Amino acid sequence: MQFSDKILNTPSSFIRNILKVTDSPEVISFAGGLPNPISFPIDALQEAINNAIAEQGAKLFQYSTTQGYEPLRQLIAAKYQRNFGLDIQAEDVFITTGSQQALELLGKVFLNKGDGVVMEAPGYLGAIQAFTLAEPNFYPVTLEDDGLNVDELEATLANNANIKFIYTVPNFQNPTGITYSKEKREAIYEVVKKYDVALIEDDPYGELRFEGEALPYIGAGRLENSVLLGSFSKTVTPGFRLGYIVTKNKEILSHVETAKQATDLHTNIFAQMTIAEYLTHNAYQEHVDKIIALYSKQANAMLQAIEKHFPAEVKYTKPEGGMFIWATMPAGISALELFDAAMKVNVAFVPGDPFYTHPENINTLRLNYTNATEEVIEEGIKRLGTIMKEVIASHAVVAQ
Amino acid sequence: MQFSDKILNTPSSFIRNILKVTDSPEVISFAGGLPNPISFPIDALQEAINNAIAEQGAKLFQYSTTQGYEPLRQLIAAKYQRNFGLDIQAEDVFITTGSQQALELLGKVFLNKGDGVVMEAPGYLGAIQAFTLAEPNFYPVTLEDDGLNVDELEATLANNANIKFIYTVPNFQNPTGITYSKEKREAIYEVVKKYDVALIEDDPYGELRFEGEALPYIGAGRLENSVLLGSFSKTVTPGFRLGYIVTKNKEILSHVETAKQATDLHTNIFAQMTIAEYLTHNAYQEHVDKIIALYSKQANAMLQAIEKHFPAEVKYTKPEGGMFIWATMPAGISALELFDAAMKVNVAFVPGDPFYTHPENINTLRLNYTNATEEVIEEGIKRLGTIMKEVIASHAVVAQ
């Protein structure tokens, strides 16, 4: 059999592949991107399920509409009205099978083969995978500590008329944990509004802020082709696969609807009705506050351990929320080499490579802190620091 | 904004679009393809949910594996071993977000733009939509009362080296309700095995047989590129969006896994664990037998009403299972014209047009019998028969 070019060119997930080695119980893994299971509101969800079944009966189990359950879309819209003063209505919200599907649907809707996509470098590897299925050209733009490099972004847009959209994660970015500053958001808006491109702001972690103030989105509420993505995976449960697209652009939404019909008809309605019931009758914000407190402690534990155990020449980000820290070793040190060495002492992380569309000589790594106790974080970072020093030292010797 | 060619060329679902007019309570609708909601085992599912949460806790709510929950895959494999003597193991089963997603993933995995797909004419419109996203050339092959026209199939395969797969629904086909005969299955197998193409057998209704004996699949268990699709949507619940791919071909499965990762990471694990629990501890076959008894009565009611009320020159299929009857009016009579006339007396059906990749002068229609009582079926068919006679008579006048 001959297979399609697009599937032969799509990287299988590095993270999912290394799970086979990092999943064993003796490994301290900072590799995943999983919410802490103690953060799932299981009892409240069980209650929501019972109530939803009692009230809606067969409707939870039947086929449903492609755009998604209207009361859930209303609840989502109300959150954006409340938290950001945005004029978002239920009709502007489209429910997807996790926000991974939102990415894939947007790829389908916008991209012919060879069309351009601006990606953060480094950027979310699941987005790279999803868009690759549509066979685009990727245009990486350097991600700095406060967001995309604006001059590079402007030059990239000016020189490449084939670009259809820009993909960003403005809050606690995956993989770096960085947050776009208010000034960068404004500067990016000023550049993007001059071009006929869509701006995708993917925000799965935005509500998990443990430091600083929430910032307005870059394009939502003011760019004609603004597309905002959200998810219940990091705040309630990823197992339900519930994400959503928010846009005031009816043309985009109508094409997304056709793509969704053809892709999986509609999103699991049992999950949608259950989450709507949960959001209506439970203290959602209190629950999110608990997750924030938990992740804040874990992030601090990891930052303190890094400060103590990593070699001084290794730089790292200090996230204000979310799930990740990004470390940068001296130029020339390979994170893949570090990965092999670290696995020998049973510590896992994700080398930076899969987060770049054009990887070469990658000296960066992603560390997740949401799935280990403070003690385990301290121990894992200590071991990793030791290995880093060895790997860096061995390169110094070679370089002499 | 410019949108992609593939989305501009993908038809939005005719059925989903007409739901807006056919859904109103005064309309007798034979248009849908929905299981009867009284067929959902709600109490048993509630129990399965409670047990699954009690036993597995947070695992129901966490991210999970791309291929799907292994105990569920084992249960599915065991069914094919038991019912068909096929050597299917858990590793040969891949869980999808409904079998609609299976179609879309297979399109991605096999098709470059311009590659060929053999479709039944008429064929399942959801498959036409799903495959269209990969921009193939469709090669329709006439569907006869006992399956694909074998000579046409052979000529099509011989003349078009770009064909990657053949898509079939061998049992109680959607839209026609026909079942491939044993002889046709053998003849198709003999043709297909000579070509390097995959054979997709989509079988969502196979267990819902109310007449005759179950027949062996065309290619499963003997063709190297056999792909079998199944679903829990017609036997347990469509709301959970659970379907699956079965193939012994590891190369196909590995590409499907990459496509699935990029598309939506994995299927809702809560739904998978619940259904596994349900299948393990509940009388699944007894439940399916109840659905069969229900649909058998409804099919008979519709066949008797058609016999009584349709004009003699209208032909129709007599399904041995599943959910649909297919009617063929005299040549030159437009089913779309009939649809408009029938809606004036509040009766809905699906005109044949969307089931053809190259529709022209369509005089066929699909009738669903699973969502109305016997009395409503009699009344609706009576009204439809009257309208048919009027439409046919008006054409006879024009033709004079």
Short mmCIF file of all heavy atoms in Angstrom, two decimals, chain B residues 30-68:
data_model
loop_
_atom_site.label_atom_id
_atom_site.label_comp_id
_atom_site.label_asym_id
_atom_site.label_seq_id
_atom_site.Cartn_x
_atom_site.Cartn_y
_atom_site.Cartn_z
N PHE B 30 -39.20 10.92 8.25
CA PHE B 30 -38.47 9.69 7.93
C PHE B 30 -37.07 10.05 7.42
O PHE B 30 -36.40 9.27 6.77
CB PHE B 30 -39.22 8.89 6.84
CG PHE B 30 -40.65 8.58 7.20
CD1 PHE B 30 -41.69 8.84 6.30
CD2 PHE B 30 -40.97 8.01 8.42
CE1 PHE B 30 -43.00 8.55 6.62
CE2 PHE B 30 -42.30 7.71 8.76
CZ PHE B 30 -43.33 7.99 7.86
N ALA B 31 -36.65 11.29 7.74
CA ALA B 31 -35.42 11.82 7.17
C ALA B 31 -34.17 11.43 7.97
O ALA B 31 -33.11 11.20 7.41
CB ALA B 31 -35.49 13.34 7.06
N GLY B 32 -34.28 11.37 9.28
CA GLY B 32 -33.10 11.14 10.11
C GLY B 32 -32.52 9.75 9.95
O GLY B 32 -33.02 8.92 9.18
N GLY B 33 -31.45 9.51 10.68
CA GLY B 33 -30.89 8.17 10.74
C GLY B 33 -30.62 7.86 12.20
O GLY B 33 -29.65 7.21 12.54
N LEU B 34 -31.50 8.37 13.06
CA LEU B 34 -31.26 8.26 14.49
C LEU B 34 -31.79 6.93 15.03
O LEU B 34 -32.87 6.49 14.64
CB LEU B 34 -31.97 9.38 15.23
CG LEU B 34 -31.70 10.81 14.81
CD1 LEU B 34 -32.38 11.77 15.77
CD2 LEU B 34 -30.23 11.09 14.75
N PRO B 35 -31.06 6.33 15.95
CA PRO B 35 -31.62 5.18 16.67
C PRO B 35 -32.84 5.65 17.46
O PRO B 35 -32.92 6.82 17.84
CB PRO B 35 -30.51 4.76 17.64
CG PRO B 35 -29.31 5.54 17.29
CD PRO B 35 -29.73 6.70 16.45
N ASN B 36 -33.76 4.75 17.72
CA ASN B 36 -34.90 5.10 18.56
C ASN B 36 -34.43 5.33 19.99
O ASN B 36 -33.77 4.46 20.57
CB ASN B 36 -35.91 3.97 18.53
CG ASN B 36 -37.26 4.41 19.06
OD1 ASN B 36 -37.33 5.00 20.14
ND2 ASN B 36 -38.31 4.16 18.32
N PRO B 37 -34.73 6.49 20.57
CA PRO B 37 -34.21 6.76 21.92
C PRO B 37 -34.69 5.75 22.96
O PRO B 37 -34.01 5.57 23.98
CB PRO B 37 -34.73 8.18 22.23
CG PRO B 37 -35.72 8.50 21.17
CD PRO B 37 -35.46 7.63 20.00
N ILE B 38 -35.82 5.09 22.72
CA ILE B 38 -36.23 4.09 23.72
C ILE B 38 -35.30 2.89 23.71
O ILE B 38 -35.37 2.02 24.56
CB ILE B 38 -37.72 3.65 23.57
CG1 ILE B 38 -37.95 2.88 22.27
CG2 ILE B 38 -38.65 4.84 23.65
CD1 ILE B 38 -39.38 2.32 22.17
N SER B 39 -34.39 2.86 22.72
CA SER B 39 -33.44 1.74 22.65
C SER B 39 -32.18 1.97 23.49
O SER B 39 -31.32 1.09 23.56
CB SER B 39 -33.05 1.49 21.19
OG SER B 39 -32.09 2.45 20.77
N PHE B 40 -32.03 3.13 24.12
CA PHE B 40 -30.81 3.35 24.91
C PHE B 40 -30.94 2.69 26.28
O PHE B 40 -31.93 2.93 26.99
CB PHE B 40 -30.53 4.85 25.10
CG PHE B 40 -30.44 5.62 23.81
CD1 PHE B 40 -30.91 6.92 23.73
CD2 PHE B 40 -29.89 5.04 22.67
CE1 PHE B 40 -30.85 7.64 22.54
CE2 PHE B 40 -29.82 5.75 21.48
CZ PHE B 40 -30.31 7.05 21.40
N PRO B 41 -29.95 1.90 26.70
CA PRO B 41 -30.03 1.22 28.00
C PRO B 41 -29.61 2.16 29.13
O PRO B 41 -28.56 1.97 29.76
CB PRO B 41 -29.05 0.05 27.84
CG PRO B 41 -28.02 0.58 26.88
CD PRO B 41 -28.72 1.55 25.97
N ILE B 42 -30.45 3.17 29.38
CA ILE B 42 -30.03 4.26 30.27
C ILE B 42 -29.71 3.77 31.69
O ILE B 42 -28.67 4.12 32.25
CB ILE B 42 -31.09 5.37 30.32
CG1 ILE B 42 -31.28 5.93 28.89
CG2 ILE B 42 -30.68 6.50 31.27
CD1 ILE B 42 -32.27 7.08 28.80
N ASP B 43 -30.59 2.94 32.26
CA ASP B 43 -30.33 2.48 33.64
C ASP B 43 -29.04 1.67 33.73
O ASP B 43 -28.25 1.85 34.66
CB ASP B 43 -31.52 1.65 34.15
CG ASP B 43 -32.77 2.51 34.32
OD1 ASP B 43 -32.63 3.75 34.37
OD2 ASP B 43 -33.87 1.94 34.38
N ALA B 44 -28.85 0.81 32.76
CA ALA B 44 -27.63 -0.02 32.77
C ALA B 44 -26.39 0.86 32.58
O ALA B 44 -25.34 0.60 33.19
CB ALA B 44 -27.71 -1.09 31.68
N LEU B 45 -26.51 1.90 31.77
CA LEU B 45 -25.36 2.79 31.58
C LEU B 45 -25.08 3.60 32.85
O LEU B 45 -23.92 3.81 33.22
CB LEU B 45 -25.58 3.72 30.37
CG LEU B 45 -25.44 3.03 29.01
CD1 LEU B 45 -25.92 3.94 27.87
CD2 LEU B 45 -24.00 2.59 28.74
N GLN B 46 -26.15 4.05 33.51
CA GLN B 46 -25.95 4.77 34.78
C GLN B 46 -25.19 3.88 35.77
O GLN B 46 -24.26 4.33 36.45
CB GLN B 46 -27.31 5.19 35.36
CG GLN B 46 -27.24 5.70 36.80
CD GLN B 46 -26.94 7.19 36.93
OE1 GLN B 46 -27.71 8.04 36.48
NE2 GLN B 46 -25.82 7.53 37.56
N GLU B 47 -25.59 2.62 35.83
CA GLU B 47 -24.93 1.66 36.73
C GLU B 47 -23.47 1.45 36.32
O GLU B 47 -22.57 1.42 37.16
CB GLU B 47 -25.70 0.35 36.64
CG GLU B 47 -25.53 -0.58 37.81
CD GLU B 47 -26.27 -1.90 37.53
OE1 GLU B 47 -27.50 -1.85 37.29
OE2 GLU B 47 -25.59 -2.94 37.52
N ALA B 48 -23.26 1.32 35.02
CA ALA B 48 -21.89 1.12 34.52
C ALA B 48 -21.01 2.33 34.86
O ALA B 48 -19.84 2.18 35.25
CB ALA B 48 -21.91 0.89 33.01
N ILE B 49 -21.59 3.52 34.73
CA ILE B 49 -20.85 4.75 35.08
C ILE B 49 -20.47 4.73 36.56
O ILE B 49 -19.30 4.96 36.92
CB ILE B 49 -21.71 6.00 34.76
CG1 ILE B 49 -21.80 6.20 33.25
CG2 ILE B 49 -21.14 7.25 35.45
CD1 ILE B 49 -22.93 7.14 32.81
N ASN B 50 -21.45 4.43 37.42
CA ASN B 50 -21.18 4.42 38.86
C ASN B 50 -20.08 3.41 39.20
O ASN B 50 -19.17 3.72 39.96
CB ASN B 50 -22.45 4.08 39.63
CG ASN B 50 -23.55 5.13 39.44
OD1 ASN B 50 -23.28 6.22 38.92
ND2 ASN B 50 -24.76 4.80 39.83
N ASN B 51 -20.18 2.22 38.62
CA ASN B 51 -19.17 1.20 38.89
C ASN B 51 -17.80 1.59 38.35
O ASN B 51 -16.79 1.40 39.03
CB ASN B 51 -19.58 -0.15 38.28
CG ASN B 51 -20.80 -0.72 38.98
OD1 ASN B 51 -21.12 -0.34 40.11
ND2 ASN B 51 -21.50 -1.62 38.30
N ALA B 52 -17.78 2.13 37.16
CA ALA B 52 -16.50 2.52 36.56
C ALA B 52 -15.83 3.60 37.40
O ALA B 52 -14.62 3.54 37.67
CB ALA B 52 -16.70 3.00 35.12
N ILE B 53 -16.61 4.59 37.85
CA ILE B 53 -16.02 5.65 38.69
C ILE B 53 -15.54 5.05 40.02
O ILE B 53 -14.43 5.36 40.48
CB ILE B 53 -17.04 6.79 38.95
CG1 ILE B 53 -17.33 7.54 37.64
CG2 ILE B 53 -16.51 7.77 40.01
CD1 ILE B 53 -18.37 8.65 37.76
N ALA B 54 -16.34 4.19 40.62
CA ALA B 54 -15.95 3.58 41.90
C ALA B 54 -14.66 2.77 41.76
O ALA B 54 -13.80 2.80 42.63
CB ALA B 54 -17.09 2.71 42.42
N GLU B 55 -14.53 2.07 40.63
CA GLU B 55 -13.37 1.18 40.47
C GLU B 55 -12.14 1.88 39.91
O GLU B 55 -11.02 1.55 40.27
CB GLU B 55 -13.74 0.02 39.54
CG GLU B 55 -14.61 -1.03 40.22
CD GLU B 55 -15.37 -1.89 39.20
OE1 GLU B 55 -14.86 -2.06 38.08
OE2 GLU B 55 -16.48 -2.35 39.54
N GLN B 56 -12.34 2.84 39.02
CA GLN B 56 -11.19 3.41 38.30
C GLN B 56 -10.88 4.86 38.69
O GLN B 56 -9.82 5.36 38.35
CB GLN B 56 -11.46 3.37 36.78
CG GLN B 56 -11.91 2.03 36.28
CD GLN B 56 -10.78 1.22 35.66
OE1 GLN B 56 -9.61 1.55 35.84
NE2 GLN B 56 -11.13 0.18 34.96
N GLY B 57 -11.83 5.52 39.34
CA GLY B 57 -11.59 6.87 39.84
C GLY B 57 -11.05 7.82 38.79
O GLY B 57 -11.63 7.96 37.70
N ALA B 58 -9.94 8.47 39.13
CA ALA B 58 -9.39 9.54 38.28
C ALA B 58 -9.06 9.08 36.86
O ALA B 58 -9.00 9.91 35.95
CB ALA B 58 -8.14 10.13 38.95
N LYS B 59 -8.85 7.78 36.68
CA LYS B 59 -8.47 7.30 35.33
C LYS B 59 -9.54 7.60 34.29
O LYS B 59 -9.24 7.73 33.10
CB LYS B 59 -8.19 5.80 35.35
CG LYS B 59 -6.85 5.47 35.98
CD LYS B 59 -6.52 4.01 35.88
CE LYS B 59 -5.25 3.72 36.67
NZ LYS B 59 -5.20 2.34 37.16
N LEU B 60 -10.79 7.69 34.71
CA LEU B 60 -11.86 8.02 33.75
C LEU B 60 -11.77 9.45 33.27
O LEU B 60 -12.42 9.81 32.28
CB LEU B 60 -13.24 7.84 34.38
CG LEU B 60 -13.86 6.45 34.31
CD1 LEU B 60 -13.45 5.65 35.54
CD2 LEU B 60 -15.37 6.53 34.20
N PHE B 61 -11.03 10.29 34.01
CA PHE B 61 -11.06 11.73 33.75
C PHE B 61 -9.72 12.27 33.23
O PHE B 61 -9.61 13.44 32.90
CB PHE B 61 -11.47 12.47 35.03
CG PHE B 61 -12.82 12.04 35.54
CD1 PHE B 61 -12.95 11.09 36.54
CD2 PHE B 61 -13.97 12.56 34.96
CE1 PHE B 61 -14.20 10.67 36.99
CE2 PHE B 61 -15.23 12.15 35.39
CZ PHE B 61 -15.34 11.20 36.41
N GLN B 62 -8.71 11.41 33.16
CA GLN B 62 -7.36 11.82 32.75
C GLN B 62 -7.17 11.62 31.24
O GLN B 62 -7.98 10.96 30.59
CB GLN B 62 -6.33 10.99 33.54
CG GLN B 62 -4.87 11.33 33.35
CD GLN B 62 -4.51 12.79 33.64
OE1 GLN B 62 -4.83 13.69 32.85
NE2 GLN B 62 -3.82 13.03 34.75
N TYR B 63 -6.12 12.20 30.68
CA TYR B 63 -5.72 11.86 29.31
C TYR B 63 -5.47 10.36 29.23
O TYR B 63 -5.18 9.70 30.25
CB TYR B 63 -4.42 12.59 28.94
CG TYR B 63 -4.60 14.06 28.61
CD1 TYR B 63 -4.14 15.05 29.48
CD2 TYR B 63 -5.21 14.45 27.43
CE1 TYR B 63 -4.30 16.40 29.16
CE2 TYR B 63 -5.36 15.80 27.11
CZ TYR B 63 -4.90 16.76 27.98
OH TYR B 63 -5.05 18.09 27.67
N SER B 64 -5.53 9.82 28.02
CA SER B 64 -5.36 8.38 27.87
C SER B 64 -4.63 8.05 26.57
O SER B 64 -4.16 8.94 25.87
CB SER B 64 -6.73 7.71 27.93
OG SER B 64 -6.58 6.32 27.97
N THR B 65 -4.56 6.76 26.24
CA THR B 65 -3.76 6.32 25.09
C THR B 65 -4.49 6.57 23.76
O THR B 65 -5.71 6.55 23.69
CB THR B 65 -3.45 4.82 25.18
OG1 THR B 65 -4.71 4.13 25.24
CG2 THR B 65 -2.65 4.51 26.42
N THR B 66 -3.69 6.77 22.73
CA THR B 66 -4.24 7.09 21.40
C THR B 66 -5.01 5.91 20.81
O THR B 66 -6.07 6.10 20.21
CB THR B 66 -3.09 7.50 20.46
OG1 THR B 66 -2.43 8.63 21.04
CG2 THR B 66 -3.62 7.91 19.10
N GLN B 67 -4.51 4.70 20.97
CA GLN B 67 -5.17 3.55 20.34
C GLN B 67 -6.49 3.20 21.02
O GLN B 67 -7.38 2.62 20.39
CB GLN B 67 -4.24 2.33 20.35
CG GLN B 67 -4.86 1.13 19.62
CD GLN B 67 -3.89 0.01 19.33
OE1 GLN B 67 -2.71 0.08 19.70
NE2 GLN B 67 -4.36 -1.03 18.66
N GLY B 68 -6.63 3.55 22.28
CA GLY B 68 -7.87 3.26 22.99
C GLY B 68 -7.67 2.30 24.15
O GLY B 68 -6.65 1.63 24.26
#
